[in-house]
Amino acid sequence: MAPNLSSSDYYDILGVPRGCDDAALKKAYKKLALKFHPDRNPGDEEATKNFQKISEAFSTLSDPKKRQIYDQYGKDAANQADQMGDDMPGGGGMPFGFRPGGGGGGHGHHGMSPEEAQMFFSQFFGGGDPFGSFGGGGGMGGMGGPGIQFNMGGGMPRGGSQRVQQDPFASMFGGHPGFGGSMGSMGGMPGAMPAGFGSSMGAPRRQEKRYDAIPAGTVVSLKGLVSRPEKNGDRGEVQQFDPRSGRYIVVLEDTDETMSVKASNLLQHVHIKLHGLESKPEWNGQRGTIIAWDEPNQRYNVYVMGLRRAVSLKPGNVILETGTVGKIAGLQSKPELNGKFGTIKSFDQSAGRYEVQLSADKILRLKLENIHV
């Protein structure tokens, strides 16, 4: 069942049946909290309200005693359990010893403030990078659960199941060429053939290597979809690029659903290093994950693992990792190249420029601000 954020019923909000188990609750909360987190939706007040609503619903249903009261007597009775605390019959109280501030969640009023929702979110993920993983991780004993079945490329275990359990929003790619590890050419779906190969009558056929296509296995979020706006913010994995249509086949997280989308409808959740910050020089060299693009301000929102929070950064203060496919933007010397895609081959620290490969025989040297994801 689909989440219904206009509902006042906690089960409807999370999109789970009333008899669901704890694993289903955790998976629903994780997916929705990541989708509507304020740091991924800069300036979107409705997303912040949805984040509070999701957090309030899960905070009640994840506590067995409060869930029992909610099922029997409704939201107001469950909220009153916060005031009763440990005196509530059977114990009660929030997971992690957390208690939202206010009762009265009924009639459309949310008992959890934005700050409390953020605190609950942080405790759920246990200090990990919630935006840098694709499945697995999570607080409260670990998320895991059925449906999280993506192979992230290189560095993955072989044999048996291809399910991946990783830290939750640093280990997104199982090691990426730019910052240690290696990224294999396998796509994201179990049983998929390595990217760049096809078959005819059982014989493998090597296809021409592309430098302008986002690699299979890259974790992305959907954005700017007009025909299916409800999918905006959903995460998925690039399965393949179709050069005939210029679209990507993306497999959505926790489902078998695939969508064919343009590059302009994808945000890549790639790892970066902070660079050239004069006001906060101690932050330079810190690693993070791109979680959003703030179009009006032309900035990335980046979750920085060492700081355990998101910061807003200009493209000139972000070094994208080697192997990332980015779009050329703002190039004045050769404006005809703006909008084209290329693969970052290296970064020259002294010159402050990337080497970007557009084709087998064409490499450009570009400033940081001239490549966007």
Side-chain angles (χ1 to χ4, degrees), residues 134 150-153 187-189 216-220 235-240 249-253:
F134 198 51
F150 291 89
N151 185 328
M152 304 309 293
M189 290 300 294
T218 301
V219 177
V220 296
R235 299 200 306 170
E237 184 182 76
V238 172
Q239 183 181 13
Q240 66 183 51
I249 305 301
V250 176
V251 188
L252 299 186
E253 184 179 24

Side-chain angles (χ1 to χ4, degrees), residues 5-45:
L5 292 166
S6 63
S7 174
S8 61
D9 181 83
Y10 286 157
Y11 292 99
D12 289 346
I13 290 168
L14 296 177
V16 294
R18 299 188 77 83
C20 71
D21 60 14
D22 288 344
L25 283 171
K26 292 176 184 178
K27 187 166 72 171
Y29 169 74
K30 175 178 179 284
K31 183 175 181 178
L32 292 170
L34 291 175
K35 179 173 181 175
F36 291 102
H37 194 282
D39 288 337
R40 284 194 62 196
N41 301 274
D44 188 339
E45 292 185 7

Side-chain angles (χ1 to χ4, degrees), residues 104-184:
H107 307 295
H109 299 285
H110 308 315
M112 188 174 283
S113 69
E115 295 75 19
E116 289 168 334
Q118 176 59 46
M119 185 184 300
F120 188 83
F121 177 86
S122 298
Q123 290 175 320
F124 178 85
F125 284 101
D129 172 12
F131 304 98
S133 72
F134 198 51
M140 301 180 66
M143 286 291 300
I148 303 172
Q149 306 178 32
F150 291 89
N151 185 328
M152 304 309 293
M156 293 299 104
R158 298 294 181 184
S161 172
Q162 288 186 299
R163 290 172 182 257
V164 178
Q165 300 279 329
Q166 301 186 34
D167 287 341
F169 245 156
S171 57
M172 186 193 295
F173 299 105
H176 201 285
F179 302 133
S182 62
M183 184 169 175

Side-chain angles (χ1 to χ4, degrees), residues 330-349:
L331 196 62
Q332 296 182 358
S333 59
K334 294 185 178 181
E336 69 275 9
L337 294 177
N338 289 326
K340 293 188 179 298
F341 288 80
T343 299
I344 295 173
K345 305 300 292 182
S346 64
F347 176 69
D348 184 337
Q349 187 84 24

Side-chain angles (χ1 to χ4, degrees), residues 208-212 345 356-363:
E208 181 182 356
K209 179 174 176 59
R210 300 192 68 97
Y211 299 94
D212 60 348
K345 305 300 292 182
V356 180
Q357 189 153 8
L358 274 64
S359 63
D361 56 358
K362 190 168 187 177
I363 296 179

Side-chain angles (χ1 to χ4, degrees), residues 1 44 61-62 89 130 136 140 145 150 166 170 183 191 195 229 251 274 291 293 309 313 327 338 341 343 352 354:
M1 56 188 291
D44 188 339
L61 298 184
S62 61
M140 301 180 66
F150 291 89
Q166 301 186 34
M183 184 169 175
V251 188
L274 276 61
I291 59 174
W293 172 250
R309 67 183 181 91
L313 299 170
K327 183 173 70 172
N338 289 326
F341 288 80
T343 299
Y354 296 115

